[in-house]
Amino acid sequence: MLEPRPNRQGYVYWVQLVNGFGPQSKAFAVVFECPFASTADLDRELRQHGVVNGSRLDTVDDGKGGRLIRKRADFMFGVAGLITVQSYHKPCWEPAE
């Protein structure tokens, strides 16, 4: 199993969620960064608090097998609507400021 790689701000995951109910529901995914180093840590946070806070990363292909972070935004998800959380397999980076 792939372990999450630490990024400048935290660890990066691929989070799949569902929005809505019944036939109108839509699945979507986000690149999510947070301070939790493993999916087990995320699970504990969800069980204890019901939500996980972090950042949604807007990324683009860097042409070298990684992802360039263009923008980050505050993001939170909870148990309701959660499909899966897995380690993000591509390195994410930001240009030097």
Side-chain angles (χ1 to χ4, degrees):
M1 178 167 136
L2 294 173
E3 288 299 317
R5 297 181 192 149
N7 197 35
R8 186 173 72 96
Q9 302 282 328
Y11 296 87
V12 181
Y13 297 93
W14 181 255
V15 179
Q16 291 180 297
L17 301 154
V18 66
N19 185 16
F21 298 96
Q24 286 77 32
S25 64
K26 303 275 187 206
F28 67 99
V30 298
V31 180
F32 180 74
E33 180 184 59
C34 66
F36 300 105
S38 71
T39 54
D41 293 338
L42 285 168
D43 180 56
R44 275 190 292 281
E45 184 73 3
L46 283 168
R47 288 176 190 273
Q48 183 175 2
H49 298 288
V51 296
V52 175
N53 295 303
S55 297
R56 182 178 185 165
L57 303 179
D58 178 15
T59 66
V60 293
D61 186 8
D62 69 0
K64 302 173 193 169
R67 303 293 291 179
L68 170 66
I69 300 169
R70 293 193 313 181
K71 179 172 81 171
R72 62 178 70 240
D74 290 343
F75 190 80
M76 120 181 5
F77 67 90
V79 175
L82 179 60
I83 299 172
T84 64
V85 176
Q86 60 193 56
S87 300
Y88 196 60
H89 66 281
K90 293 185 178 183
C92 295
W93 60 279
E94 292 177 293
E97 295 181 25

